[in-house]
Amino acid sequence: MAIYIDKESKTFYLEGENSTYSFFINSFGYPEHLYWGKKIHRDYLLMARSGGARSCEAKVPGTNEGGSTYNHMLPEISYFGTGDYREPTVHPVFEDGSRVTELLYSGYDILPEKPRISSMPSMSGGETLVIYLYDTIRDFGAELYYTAYPDSDVISRRIIYKNESNKKIKLDRAYSFALALPKGDYDALTLFGGWANERNPERTPLHHGVFSIDSKRATSSATLNPFMAVMERGASEDRGNVYGFNLIYSSSYALKAEGASGGHFVVSGGINDFDFSWLLSPGESFETPEAVLSFSAEGLGGMSRSFHRAYREHLINKRYVKALRPVLINNWEATYFEFTFEKLAAIVDSIEGTGIDTFVLDDGWFGKRDDDNSGLGDWVVNEAKLSGGLDRLIDYVHSKGLKFGLWFEPEMISEDSDIFRAHPDYAIGIPDRPRCYSRNQYAMDLTREDVRDYIVDSINAILKKHDIDYVKWDYNRNVTEFFSEGRDPDRQLEFSHRYALGLYDICDRIVLANPDIFFEGCSGGGARFDPAILYYFPQIWTSDDSDAEERTHIQWGTSYAYPLSAMACHVSAVPNHQVRRVTPMRTRADIAHLGATGYELDTTVFTDKDRDEVKRQVAEYHKMEDLVLDGDLYRIEDPTKTNFFSFAIVSPDKSRAHLTCYRSKGQPNPEPHIVKMAGLDENKLYFIPELNLMLHGSTLMNVGFAVNFNKGDFMTRTFNFEEK
Ligand code: DGJ
């Protein structure tokens, strides 16, 4: 069991493996947050309330009790106009123009089965508590959903807003959650970036007023990932209280942490309310996306491991989450758009015997697509380019014992395409305004059912006709214009959320409808790396920047919220195509092995020695693959702050571990570089073949050992730990 109730004090306790989350229903019927942190006993907690109305604070409507202002109650939800001046969780506009609501307790339910959100991805399993709140004056309701997991320290939250009146209600804001953190000094850790430079960590002190991150792009974006950690000022990688927030959402979002006048901090978020409103007709409900909340008393590392475990157990497709991943060769950086059957067949021949098991044909196989100016949306094989069509190539690939993968960019349309000539309105745009190009293409209007049907039918036709084992789903531009031709003017502000719903609909009908095909997410690199995408796609292309040095930063940042198994990482050519850097082949492989690995370079120029090296690398990867898929990650050396990077991955039973260490710049006269392992069992004895030593976990973690790198820049060393 994960949910307990003290009926007398109306206190709810949500218990994770090592954490407790608690709130109670106060005498006004308002759900008041009490505690979220390290696991505690189910004691009476009301003595910890601060409360206290001051001058200039309004009392709860209709009362004149001392100490009764909403502005000082710690919220589970907050709303505007009744004395609460903090960021509202919801902002309804009623038909008479008034915007005031007071949502008060009307009951609760505990659901043994977690209901699936009808139109959006969400976590599964756990035990779900629903708190029913109701505004009896406006017949407006809010249902607060909390799912607790006894085996982990995450809680998922969302809210359903209900119009039970006989008039229209417009939601100008409809966030998924709010909660309070007690008075203290906190920093926010967020992940910013851009193309080929995704998910850089940034630590910002929180302050009075609002700290916020968001996306206005109708995608979760590379600019700011929909993730925020709020950390106690002294918290670090392995110490201190850290609260993590991650939205299972792929469109415009907001996450906020507000330092309130009472000293506490209110964290809230969900769908971005900028350029948003949603019209609820009588009887209609609005479901918000789910937010995943993770607590750890063991610093950022503990928070990340909680997210990773929860996503593996309760979010990612069970069929694939722990299944061995394709070790693939992708032709993109080998050929770009210039390929023939013969060239692709030569790539296939050149990897024979290496252990690479999947060949992926990237962009350029369809329509008129010899560069990125044309062809998107015409999902018809270009037989003039690929003589013999797809089947000839697929048969060839299969005859060599490899699986076959194919690239699509389902959401896009080129101006120079047959589909655009026939249906220019399929592209998002405003009829009397020019559209913005981005990568020479437009985005399709996924808010429209006929457009979605076209995408689903044309892609499923290819998947049905050909024997395809793997699909790479790309997405190379963000939405502009935010308008859907034909939709009512008073519903145009629903566009960005409807885009997400449209995306999930086509994912349901393409990804989930083809369960035997392995789907990888991609977004011009890693520009849509979020838990909703992870629900459909067990792995996501992490970045178009595959340079090993850059990847230590990108993979480090990505790992704050997402497990290693979610990150697709390739060994590519040198000089690297994005940064022209030359790094050793071994280094490129060691860094790419910290995720779902693959190769993306012209293997037809390989010497026998290169082929032997790849064979060795693939064999090595297979030895550690179970750790990548299911191990606990310990980040040891931070490349964003030091000359080093190291990741340790430890099996759940702590009987095995793998350590990858990397030194960026070579040092002329290096001091001994001691690395202390993490995550091992102190009392277990481990054999480390690379050191030819048998040492206890306690020694490895407290004394450490010297890691000697070869001379030069960008060097790696790897170590294995086996319990004896
Ligand atoms: C962007 C992706 O990230 C690349 O891997 C490649 O698939 C190109 N798009 C193809 O256009």
Side-chain angles (χ1 to χ4, degrees):
M1 255 184 44
I3 297 170
Y4 300 86
I5 303 155
D6 180 88
K7 289 198 171 138
E8 212 179 304
S9 62
K10 289 204 184 122
T11 303
F12 295 82
Y13 303 87
L14 281 61
E15 295 184 355
E17 197 182 354
N18 305 296
S19 57
T20 301
Y21 183 111
S22 180
F23 61 92
F24 86 114
I25 308 298
N26 72 15
S27 57
F28 305 103
Y30 181 74
E32 226 182 286
H33 183 85
L34 287 171
Y35 176 76
W36 184 29
K38 227 174 173 166
K39 200 163 193 167
I40 52 170
H41 289 90
R42 268 165 246 142
D43 285 336
Y44 177 83
L45 296 176
L46 274 54
M47 72 294 174
R49 297 172 66 206
S50 53
R54 299 178 196 164
S55 177
C56 277
E57 302 286 26
K59 306 237 163 102
V60 168
T63 72
N64 205 2
E65 273 180 45
S68 68
T69 176
Y70 280 130
N71 210 33
H72 285 254
M73 295 178 197
L74 304 188
E76 290 292 309
I77 180 171
S78 67
Y79 30 80
F80 178 73
T82 50
D84 191 345
Y85 299 99
R86 300 165 300 188
E87 283 292 308
T89 319
V90 59
H91 192 230
V93 183
F94 299 100
E95 227 173 45
D96 62 357
S98 68
R99 282 101 51 221
V100 174
T101 188
E102 199 183 11
L103 290 157
L104 298 176
Y105 182 72
S106 68
Y108 77 91
D109 258 331
I110 294 184
L111 314 175
E113 283 282 308
K114 184 166 190 283
R116 190 176 165 205
I117 311 183
S118 52
S119 47
M120 278 181 279
S122 60
M123 302 260 284
S124 62
E127 206 178 319
T128 298
L129 168 70
V130 193
I131 299 289
Y132 300 98
L133 305 177
Y134 202 67
D135 176 343
T136 48
I137 298 172
R138 286 284 183 262
D139 287 322
F140 175 56
E143 295 176 353
L144 275 46
Y145 283 76
Y146 299 81
T147 303
Y149 299 88
D151 57 348
S152 85
D153 292 305
V154 305
I155 287 174
S156 56
R157 286 196 55 184
R158 65 189 175 104
I159 301 178
I160 299 181
Y161 298 102
K162 292 194 148 177
N163 178 3
E164 296 187 3
S165 73
N166 52 16
K167 299 190 174 118
K168 284 183 184 160
I169 300 175
K170 190 155 67 81
L171 300 177
D172 275 353
R173 175 180 290 186
Y175 282 175
S176 300
F177 75 99
L179 61 87
L181 299 177
K183 187 170 179 159
D185 287 333
Y186 298 97
D187 291 335
L189 183 102
T190 50
L191 302 171
F192 74 93
W195 175 76
N197 176 30
E198 296 86 351
R199 290 172 293 285
N200 300 277
E202 183 170 38
R203 195 165 167 163
T204 314
L206 293 184
H207 46 74
H208 282 94
V210 182
F211 170 85
S212 75
I213 58 164
D214 78 350
S215 159
K216 300 180 188 73
R217 295 167 178 260
T219 187
S220 48
S221 93
T223 316
L224 281 163
N225 196 267
F227 158 84
M228 183 192 287
V230 176
M231 335 169 39
E232 284 179 350
R233 181 69 36 86
S236 63
E237 182 59 31
D238 49 12
R239 267 184 215 115
N241 288 342
V242 177
Y243 308 84
F245 304 88
N246 200 193
L247 298 172
I248 308 183
Y249 194 50
S250 312
S251 191
S252 303
Y253 75 89
L255 279 171
K256 297 183 172 166
E258 176 178 15
S261 64
H264 60 274
F265 284 81
V266 178
V267 185
S268 62
I271 296 171
N272 198 341
D273 51 314
F274 171 77
D275 203 45
F276 167 86
S277 82
W278 196 275
L279 202 59
L280 284 179
S281 296
E284 279 185 353
S285 301
F286 183 74
E287 293 192 280
T288 63
E290 195 163 46
V292 187
L293 283 43
S294 161
F295 167 78
S296 172
E298 289 171 21
L300 285 163
M303 174 209 68
S304 299
R305 287 186 290 281
S306 289
F307 275 128
H308 299 174
R309 271 188 232 129
Y311 291 163
R312 286 196 296 256
E313 297 305 323
H314 303 291
L315 182 74
I316 306 173
N317 187 334
K318 291 217 173 335
R319 172 161 179 183
Y320 293 112
V321 61
K322 290 179 193 168
L324 300 188
R325 300 295 170 79
V327 177
L328 57 90
I329 174 77
N330 176 305
N331 75 306
W332 179 242
E333 290 200 0
T335 66
Y336 294 102
F337 292 103
E338 284 168 37
F339 55 80
T340 57
F341 170 83
E342 287 70 26
K343 175 69 190 180
L344 300 175
I347 293 178
V348 172
D349 293 343
S350 69
I351 53 146
E352 197 165 346
T354 56
I356 293 175
D357 55 36
T358 303
F359 170 82
V360 178
L361 175 56
D362 211 280
D363 196 354
W365 57 268
F366 52 90
K368 181 184 143 224
R369 181 85 171 159
D370 294 324
D371 53 35
D372 59 18
N373 284 302
S374 57
L376 288 172
D378 292 342
W379 300 114
V380 180
V381 186
N382 181 344
E383 301 217 1
K385 185 168 179 181
L386 203 57
S387 64
L390 265 188
D391 283 339
R392 180 174 175 215
L393 181 65
I394 294 174
D395 290 348
Y396 191 73
V397 169
H398 283 161
S399 76
K400 297 286 178 176
L402 303 181
K403 294 193 165 151
F404 179 80
L406 194 62
W407 180 96
F408 288 93
E409 194 175 5
E411 297 151 79
M412 298 297 158
I413 187 165
S414 302
E415 195 166 30
D416 183 2
S417 68
D418 292 341
I419 185 64
F420 186 84
R421 280 181 281 275
H423 293 284
D425 57 305
Y426 278 16
I428 297 169
I430 305 169
D432 59 351
R433 304 197 70 91
R435 296 180 175 93
C436 296
Y437 288 106
S438 179
R439 207 200 185 201
N440 314 310
Q441 67 199 47
Y442 301 138
M444 288 220 203
D445 185 353
L446 295 196
T447 72
R448 272 173 54 177
E449 199 178 347
D450 57 340
V451 175
R452 298 199 299 273
D453 288 347
Y454 168 76
I455 295 171
V456 170
D457 292 347
S458 51
I459 289 177
N460 277 344
I462 295 274
L463 298 182
K464 194 163 173 214
K465 187 159 171 217
H466 305 283
D467 194 1
I468 292 163
D469 308 292
Y470 164 109
V471 164
K472 176 178 175 185
W473 179 308
D474 209 343
Y475 167 83
N476 281 294
R477 68 156 289 169
N478 293 163
V479 168
T480 48
E481 284 84 44
F482 302 90
F483 185 83
S484 184
E485 244 186 290
R487 190 170 294 283
D488 284 352
D490 59 357
R491 289 196 173 269
Q492 288 293 348
L493 287 164
E494 298 176 2
F495 183 89
S496 292
H497 183 55
R498 285 193 184 276
Y499 188 92
L501 298 180
L503 171 65
Y504 302 144
D505 177 51
I506 63 171
C507 286
D508 284 344
R509 291 157 68 197
I510 299 174
V511 179
L512 301 187
N514 289 285
D516 294 333
I517 299 179
F518 184 92
F519 283 81
E520 173 172 310
C522 174
S523 173
R528 193 165 61 186
F529 206 120
D530 64 56
I533 294 300
L534 212 45
Y535 170 87
Y536 291 106
F537 303 88
Q539 65 189 46
I540 306 171
W541 181 224
T542 313
S543 175
D544 272 350
D545 190 342
S546 51
D547 170 66
E549 159 79 11
E550 303 279 311
R551 274 305 191 101
T552 60
H553 290 236
I554 295 169
Q555 292 169 211
W556 177 279
T558 306
S559 77
Y560 280 114
Y562 308 101
L564 296 187
S565 64
M567 299 184 215
C569 305
H570 294 175
V571 175
S572 59
V574 287
N576 175 269
H577 291 197
Q578 289 73 36
V579 293
R580 311 306 299 166
R581 186 176 284 125
V582 177
T583 53
M585 176 79 163
R586 155 125 204 214
T587 298
R588 280 174 273 153
D590 285 342
I591 301 303
H593 287 180
L594 295 168
T597 207
Y599 289 79
E600 187 163 339
L601 69 178
D602 189 355
T603 48
T604 62
V605 300
F606 269 8
T607 60
D608 286 346
K609 203 168 146 225
D610 294 331
R611 235 182 310 279
D612 286 347
E613 171 61 11
V614 172
K615 187 175 174 183
R616 186 195 64 76
Q617 291 173 0
V618 174
E620 250 183 40
Y621 178 69
H622 282 313
K623 282 193 226 148
M624 64 182 284
E625 191 172 3
D626 63 318
L627 296 176
V628 171
L629 294 173
D630 197 27
D632 283 325
L633 174 68
Y634 290 82
R635 287 179 294 258
I636 299 180
E637 291 178 291
D638 181 349
T640 68
K641 297 199 185 108
T642 70
N643 193 31
F644 299 92
F645 160 87
S646 46
F647 266 5
I649 335 172
V650 182
S651 64
D653 66 359
K654 298 190 183 288
S655 66
R656 288 177 52 234
H658 180 92
L659 171 70
T660 299
C661 301
Y662 167 84
R663 185 187 62 198
S664 176
K665 285 198 202 88
Q667 294 161 314
N669 184 15
E671 309 212 324
H673 184 65
I674 308 294
V675 173
K676 293 180 184 170
M677 255 306 268
L680 300 176
D681 183 326
E682 295 199 333
N683 298 315
K684 283 193 194 316
L685 195 56
Y686 296 90
F687 177 61
I688 308 106
E690 295 77 8
L691 301 176
N692 196 21
L693 279 178
M694 196 96 89
L695 295 168
H696 280 97
S698 61
T699 308
L700 286 161
M701 294 192 291
N702 292 301
V703 181
F705 56 92
V707 174
N708 300 312
F709 293 95
N710 286 342
K711 284 208 164 92
D713 295 340
F714 321 122
M715 290 298 163
T716 46
R717 288 289 312 272
T718 59
F719 301 89
N720 290 288
F721 304 79
E722 292 150 23
E723 184 188 354
K724 285 293 157 203

